[in-house]
Amino acid sequence: MKHVEVLIIGAGPAGLSAADVLLEAGAEVALIDRSDRPGGQLTKQTHMFFGSQEHYASKRGIEILHVLYDKIKDHPRLHMFSETTVAGLYPDRVVACVSGQRYFTIQADIIIVATGASEKSLPFENNDLPGVYAAGAVQTLMNVYGVKPGDKVLMVGSGNIGLIVAYQLMQAGVKVPVLVEAAKTISGYHVHASKIRRLGVDIRMRTSIKRALGTDHVEGAQIWQLDARWQGIAGTEETIEVDTICLAVGLSPLTELLQQLGAEVIYINELGGHVPRLNEKFETTVEGVYACGDVAGIEEASSAMIAGKIAGLEAALKQGYALEDAQARQAALHTSLKTLRSGPHGEKIRKGHARLGART
Amino acid sequence: MRIHQHPILDFGERKTIRFSYNGQTLEGLEGDTIASALHAHGVKKLSESIHLKRPRGFYCAIGNCASCNMVVNGEPNVRTCITPLEDGMDVRLQEGKGRIR
Ligand SMILES: Cc1cc2nc3c(=O)[nH]c(=O)nc-3n(C[C@H](O)[C@H](O)[C@H](O)COP(=O)(O)OP(=O)(O)OC[C@H]3O[C@@H](n4cnc5c(N)ncnc54)[C@H](O)[C@@H]3O)c2cc1C
Ligand code: FES
């Protein structure tokens, strides 16, 4: 069996940032991602980032990705495994990998899990029809492969992802006649909502999808209004002519691998679902196994990058590398994370972490 | 259903890749996955579900959900949303769990 010092699962902003710190410290790093290109969610983000100035706000996601990846890609101690899926995590930090027809195992001293998240779905009639796609999938199809998901899209969900993807669809020449949101208020940033409203998107509050229409693929959607208890109101149904239904209804952390290993996870609604219990070093309840980024609670790329650096730094120290100013850097990183989570938009995250903390 | 003009992205000139879909020759572009190439041709149904034989397309497009499984070069359960398209690939609709040869 191959052995590597540090193995990182997931080459999104969290995994790339952890790799950077570890390489700088002197460690040998294997970075594994199932995709054929690094970057995770960043690969498809053509919009200017929200977030604080020092964390690349007003840079596009795809540009941030280049900054992160270019810095490490030619490093002699980096072993990049792309198109490789981690299928299992076993005791003694044995990692089972599948790449095409090949299956192999690697043993590592340290594992950093930075697998990100998966998109949620919604229960409604015919939600399994081709043409019902997750928002991130629509984004990937358009912005990575240059293919339109359809000609006319119903967007479900008014969080930042729904609002941004609606805008990106229009940039690609796709019509977005209607966006429905079950809540009373827009849940994303109002600037994004105003922008798509100006472009003609009819944003309907307290409204949801009742069923998808079509036999082989989506040929329309029926929407209806919701009452104060979030139940559909009979008689308010309306049929909309669309060929695609895009669901932007949240993400949940991809913690399956951690659960398989026996790391403790706790369900925290505000963080998107089951999240690992971590100590202040971002180490899970399994020694030598760290977690950072969306897998530890749905947040943002900016916080994923900081969390990746913290996990990388702690892992390097655990391996015995002497890092210059380690303590000062740790303190600064924790402060940045706190700053990012301050303000009204960080409220949910703060609440989630407080609940997680109270449970540990 | 290709995007030809985009205010931010430039997909550039991409080499053509020939592949077979249910026995019919189709063209995709360099950089495509199997699923993106099929979608560009309007092919949304990729498989049939196990019990009710309902149509299935992709859902997550990043390898999470297995909704895009197809039979590729005789091998079933290939996640076509993260498998790069290659010249001469034989891609087929998957029925149910597929059969391992
Ligand atoms: C539409 C949209 C807009 C957004 N806009 C912003 C914004 O403006 N500002 C901001 O700060 N944030 C934004 N975000 C959020 C941000 O993209 C995420 O929080 C961030 O990407 C999380 O980083 P990560 O590294 O934890 O995970 P990801 O970026 O999801 O990366 C995880 C990686 O792990 C890989 N992986 C998972 N499982 C396995 C496995 N078993 N084997 C191998 N590889 C695996 C995946 O392929 C992926 O590459 C946005 C998100 C979306 C969807
Ligand atoms: S669409 Fe989810 S794995 Fe391919």
Side-chain angles (χ1 to χ4, degrees), chain A residues 103-123:
Chain A
Y103 171 89
F104 57 95
T105 50
I106 307 179
Q107 203 271 332
D109 295 340
I110 300 272
I111 294 177
I112 297 180
V113 178
T115 45
S118 74
E119 288 181 280
K120 292 181 183 167
S121 183
L122 257 193

Side-chain angles (χ1 to χ4, degrees), chain A residues 101, chain B residues 18-22 34 70-78 80 83-94 99-101:
Chain A
Q101 302 274 18
Chain B
R18 281 219 168 78
F19 69 107
S20 153
Y21 164 64
N22 288 346
I34 299 170
M70 294 183 85
V71 183
V72 178
N73 296 334
E75 187 195 337
N77 303 318
V78 173
T80 54
T83 306
L85 185 70
E86 287 170 15
D87 249 319
M89 253 181 179
D90 182 79
V91 179
R92 285 172 194 274
L93 183 107
Q94 177 163 328
R99 221 167 283 125
I100 294 173
R101 290 187 304 180

Side-chain angles (χ1 to χ4, degrees), chain A residues 129-131 214-219, chain B residues 44-45 48 54-57:
Chain A
L129 272 187
T215 44
D216 234 28
H217 53 84
V218 172
E219 288 166 37
Chain B
K44 297 182 178 176
K45 175 177 166 184
E48 280 177 359
R54 287 174 60 85
R56 286 278 183 275

Side-chain angles (χ1 to χ4, degrees), chain A residues 57-221:
Chain A
S58 81
K59 252 194 161 41
R60 300 183 197 282
I62 39 181
E63 295 164 353
I64 299 171
L65 159 59
H66 287 303
V67 174
L68 293 178
Y69 189 56
D70 287 353
K71 189 164 170 215
I72 61 168
K73 70 173 192 231
D74 296 322
H75 201 289
R77 272 182 279 104
L78 175 72
H79 309 283
M80 190 73 203
F81 293 81
S82 58
E83 286 178 61
T84 304
T85 300
V86 172
L89 283 188
Y90 300 98
D92 301 324
R93 296 174 303 279
V94 172
V95 182
C97 305
V98 181
S99 182
Q101 302 274 18
R102 229 156 52 87
Y103 171 89
F104 57 95
T105 50
I106 307 179
Q107 203 271 332
D109 295 340
I110 300 272
I111 294 177
I112 297 180
V113 178
T115 45
S118 74
E119 288 181 280
K120 292 181 183 167
S121 183
L122 257 193
F124 59 86
E125 191 180 323
N126 279 340
N127 71 353
D128 59 344
L129 272 187
V132 178
Y133 302 140
V138 161
Q139 217 187 12
T140 304
L141 194 67
M142 291 191 299
N143 299 348
V144 179
Y145 302 110
V147 176
K148 295 183 200 178
D151 292 323
K152 253 181 162 184
V153 177
L154 168 70
M155 181 62 71
V156 181
S158 74
N160 278 326
I161 294 182
L163 299 174
I164 289 170
V165 174
Y167 182 68
Q168 292 180 357
L169 277 160
M170 292 185 277
Q171 283 185 315
V174 179
K175 294 197 179 76
V176 186
V178 181
L179 182 153
V180 292
E181 164 60 56
K184 274 202 301 242
T185 50
I186 301 272
S187 58
Y189 292 179
H190 286 270
V191 282
H192 294 316
S194 323
K195 196 152 128 188
I196 64 167
R197 242 193 215 120
R198 277 199 300 277
L199 289 169
V201 181
D202 180 5
I203 301 183
R204 308 264 192 102
M205 311 309 297
R206 280 236 168 273
T207 305
S208 190
I209 178 163
K210 184 178 186 189
R211 64 164 69 98
L213 307 170
T215 44
D216 234 28
H217 53 84
V218 172
E219 288 166 37

Side-chain angles (χ1 to χ4, degrees), chain A residues 10 13-14 33-34 40-41 45 47 49-50 86 115 294 300-302:
Chain A
D33 201 291
R34 62 187 170 199
Q41 304 273 8
Q45 291 171 3
H47 61 281
F49 258 46
F50 45 85
V86 172
T115 45
D294 276 358
E300 292 179 359
S302 4

Side-chain angles (χ1 to χ4, degrees), chain B residues 58-68 79 81:
Chain B
F58 68 79
Y59 183 70
C60 72
I62 52 168
N64 266 338
C65 72
S67 180
C68 61
R79 285 173 296 170
C81 72

